[in-house]
């Protein structure tokens, strides 16, 4: 159950399948960071589907969205599991270096600008997953260009980080020959 004021915060019923797909991947004990949490839909579903998740830190820069997120956390009884944080993901993530097992980036148009922050937030020695939402366009192999851009950013941090695509899919179409896509990127760095 989610409360939202659509004049002031984002909500899309078209993401219901995608939220459940991600929530089902989360394992017991994980520390999850949702960089663009909105009113908390992904984060709260994760805590419901995987009650043994350690924490779901849920950041958003919009104070109205965070106020609704706080209310939605209470309504869904996931206090203490989903932690709302008001702020710019760039800045907030500097406190999360190397701690998380999973980072969600549901801001397709701009997520590449935050990818380096997400990589640094992962515990790379144990390995972690980034759910990287981005935009794809064109006629064929729509995944190629956005994946190569992501790889360039990750390699720029360290060439020793291995990147495996666990899953990729078109999330939804947003314009003629333009899609929101997601890559589940498994990253690891050997000692
Ligand atoms: C497309 S919405 C996704 C919301 C939510 N994950 C959902 O699926 O309902 C993107 C969210 O990112 C937030 N946002 C944009 N820039 C941000 C930033 N620099 N730091 C944190 N949040 C940001 C917006 O306020 C918005 O709520």
């Amino acid at each position: 159950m989610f409360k939202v004021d659509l004049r002031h915060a984002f909500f899309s019923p078209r993401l219901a399948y995608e939220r459940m797909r991600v929530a089902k991947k989360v394992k017991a004990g994980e520390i999850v960071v949702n960089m663009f949490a909105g009113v908390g839909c992904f984060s709260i579903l994760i805590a419901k589907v995987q009650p043994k998740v350690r924490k779901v830190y849920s950041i958003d820069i919009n104070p109205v969205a965070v106020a609704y997120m706080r209310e939605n956390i209470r309504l869904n009884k996931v206090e203490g599991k989903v932690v709302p944080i008001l702020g710019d993901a760039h800045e907030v993530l500097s406190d999360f270096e190397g701690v998380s097992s999973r980072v969600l980036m549901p801001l397709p148009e701009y997520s590449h600008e935050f990818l380096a922050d997400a990589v640094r937030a992962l515990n790379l020695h144990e390995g972690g997953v980034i759910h990287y939402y981005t935009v794809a366009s064109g006629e064929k192999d729509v995944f190629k260009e956005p994946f190569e851009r992501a790889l360039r950013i990750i390699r720029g941090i360290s060439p020793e980080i291995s990147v495996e695509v666990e899953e990729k899919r078109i999330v939804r179409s947003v314009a003629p020959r333009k899609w929101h896509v997601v890559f589940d990127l498994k990253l690891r760095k050997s000692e």
Side-chain angles (χ1 to χ4, degrees):
M1 192 195 321
F2 298 113
K3 264 196 186 180
V4 60
D5 178 346
L6 292 174
R7 288 169 303 176
H8 300 296
F10 174 90
F11 174 79
S12 171
R14 291 173 70 197
L15 293 175
Y17 173 86
E18 180 57 21
R19 288 188 205 111
M20 186 55 85
R21 187 188 74 82
V22 170
K24 283 180 174 168
K25 292 198 168 196
V26 177
K27 299 180 192 73
E30 282 201 29
I31 297 177
V32 179
V33 174
N34 183 353
M35 291 175 73
F36 312 109
V39 300
C41 303
F42 272 91
S43 302
I44 290 168
L45 191 63
I46 287 173
K48 284 289 192 190
V49 171
Q50 177 49 273
K52 291 188 174 158
V53 68
R54 183 121 54 107
K55 292 279 179 205
V56 189
Y57 294 104
S58 302
I59 307 161
D60 205 284
I61 202 168
N62 175 356
V64 178
V66 175
Y68 277 102
M69 193 192 329
R70 288 186 204 285
E71 191 163 355
N72 289 330
I73 288 169
R74 196 177 44 75
L75 279 173
N76 289 282
K77 301 184 171 44
V78 288
E79 299 101 326
K81 289 285 177 184
V82 178
V83 181
I85 301 173
L86 173 62
D88 180 338
H90 266 315
E91 290 165 19
V92 175
L93 279 204
S94 59
D95 294 335
F96 282 85
E97 207 160 319
V99 300
S100 66
S101 49
R102 190 176 298 274
V103 178
L104 277 61
M105 306 189 71
L107 184 65
E109 305 282 344
Y110 301 103
S111 58
H112 59 282
E113 295 178 11
F114 296 80
L115 184 54
D117 301 297
V119 173
R120 291 193 191 95
L122 282 182
N123 181 339
L124 288 170
H125 298 299
E126 288 190 6
V129 174
I130 299 178
H131 299 281
Y132 175 62
Y133 294 83
T134 189
V135 177
S137 53
E139 295 288 340
K140 51 179 185 172
D141 199 357
V142 296
F143 295 105
K144 186 170 185 286
E145 201 195 304
F147 179 62
E148 284 175 357
R149 178 169 66 176
L151 260 190
R152 277 197 302 277
I153 294 168
I154 297 167
R155 297 271 184 262
I157 299 167
S158 165
E160 281 149 38
I161 300 172
S162 66
V163 182
E164 178 198 330
V165 180
E166 261 190 5
E167 194 176 347
K168 63 186 177 190
R169 64 180 292 266
I170 291 177
V171 177
R172 59 177 178 163
S173 130
V174 285
R177 288 191 295 284
K178 187 173 168 191
W179 298 272
H180 285 173
V181 298
V182 60
F183 295 89
D184 298 344
L185 301 173
K186 175 111 194 170
L187 271 62
R188 186 181 288 277
K189 189 174 180 187
S190 36
E191 299 284 335

